[in-house]
Each structure stands twice: as C-alpha cells, then as structure tokens.
Amino acid sequence: NAGVTQTPKFRILKIGQSMTLQCTQDMNHNYMYWYRQDPGMGLKLIYYSVGAGITDKGEVPNGYNVSRSTTEDFPLRLELAAPSQTSVYFCASSYSSGREDGTQYFGPGTRLTVL
Amino acid sequence: DQQVKQNSPSLSVQEGRISILNCDYTNSMFDYFLWYKKYPAEGPTFLISISSIKDKNEDGRFTVFLNKSAKHLSLHIVPSQPGDSAVYFCAARAPMDSNYQLIWGAGTKLIIKP
C-alpha cells in the first residue's frame, strides 16, 4: 500500500512552459485534492475532486487545470507557467463524508521553480 | 480573511517539557479540527483530531483541547521529544455546503532543544 504518490519530486520550468504534476492514490478514496504551499504560509487549496469525473475549484485555481478520469489518478496541469507558481505542490486524498473527520493523506510533494 | 490562525510562527521547548501549540478560528460552523505534523521535504501527516462536540481528545503524548466559546484550540505534547521537532498545522473542516474542505492555518515550527 503506497498511499499517495506524486511525480516528479522536483522540476524547474521556464516562463511560459507547461507541465503536468502526477498524483496517484491506492486507498480507494473518493476525494482528492491539490494544494500549494508557499514559504511561511499554510496550504492553499487549488482544486479538488469528490469522485471520478467531478472536479471543483478551490481557493487559488487560476493558472491550473485538473481532470479525474479514474478514482486513483488526479493530475494537475500548469499552462503557461509563471514565477508566481513557484511553490511546493501537495496532492492529498480522503474518504471525507459527513460521518468522517475529514482526515486527508498527503503525498511527499513536488517542488516547482519557474524561472 | 484567515479563518484559521496560528499566531506563533515558531516555538522552542526544552526536551522533556510540555509543548503547547495554539490555534484560533472564526467560523463557528467548523465541525472537526485536526492537527498535522510536517517534516522538511515530506507531506503533512495526520496527528490528532477533535470533534466540535468534545472539549478534549487524547492520544498518547498528544492532547488537543477545544474551547468553542473562545474559538480556540490547543495541542499539548507531553513530554516533548527531539523527534517532535517539525511544523505543526491546525486545520478546520468546513460544513457540508463547502464540501467538507479543510481550512488550514499557516503552521507553527516547533523546535525541541536537547
């Protein structure tokens, strides 16, 4: 049971380039999330998904896109990378329902630098 | 506006003593509160949680206290150990109409001194 895995671990992009951050979970969780963490700040929700085929915007969605074709995978797409997208990106998953406490399980993160 | 605040960016505690990390929130509709621990270059890991209908939850060396009237919760670690050095995040679960999203504080870096 690998939990939540993310690739790549590190990436340097040039301004205007695009890339996809991969996220996979093997816990059969319905809910999946993408966060970014900037230095000295808490986690900011970018997008989330409550199940395959369903996605919704979080607090900071601009400049990003997601898809959820399977329960396991939740890739995050960056189009036209900008320096403001330099951050550490975390993917997470959870069972999350009204009867659970919402515990989320995190991947190790992807450190992205845009120059 | 920040709905979940951790006002201490860092805290230094002697090994063996008690560590107390604090968290304040503004939304009375939050129904669960969670503490996560994060080591450098790793993702956050769940530590302990508390329902809004309780005022205390204990798990080994970790105890979380909730004061709903003050909209304040605290995490107590007793005794503090070197491996407890990490960043601690407080998170609150939003109600159903927000799809139970977690709202996060900025974190407190705990340093345990030998």
Side-chain angles (χ1 to χ4, degrees), chain B residues 4-106:
Chain B
V4 177
K5 290 184 180 180
Q6 294 176 258
N7 290 318
S8 299
S10 66
L11 174 68
S12 185
V13 174
Q14 201 75 34
E15 181 180 357
R17 305 292 289 269
I18 183 171
S19 295
I20 300 175
L21 294 91
N22 295 303
C23 179
D24 296 296
Y25 63 95
T26 57
N27 190 339
S28 59
M29 298 303 291
F30 291 147
D31 66 346
Y32 266 100
F33 302 89
L34 303 91
W35 286 94
Y36 280 77
K37 178 178 179 180
K38 185 183 178 305
Y39 292 121
E42 295 183 10
T45 56
F46 171 72
L47 190 58
I48 191 169
S49 66
I50 187 167
S51 165
S52 61
I53 62 173
K54 296 186 176 180
D55 55 18
K56 178 182 175 181
N57 188 28
E58 193 171 352
D59 183 2
R61 296 186 299 113
F62 303 92
T63 303
V64 57
F65 295 92
L66 176 62
N67 182 334
K68 284 190 69 177
S69 60
K71 293 191 177 68
H72 176 83
L73 63 155
S74 59
L75 173 68
H76 293 211
I77 306 173
V78 183
S80 300
Q81 299 175 354
D84 296 330
S85 294
V87 176
Y88 289 79
F89 291 99
C90 169
R93 193 176 80 160
M96 183 175 68
D97 58 359
S98 297
N99 262 315
Y100 303 113
Q101 293 177 42
L102 291 185
I103 311 300
W104 296 77

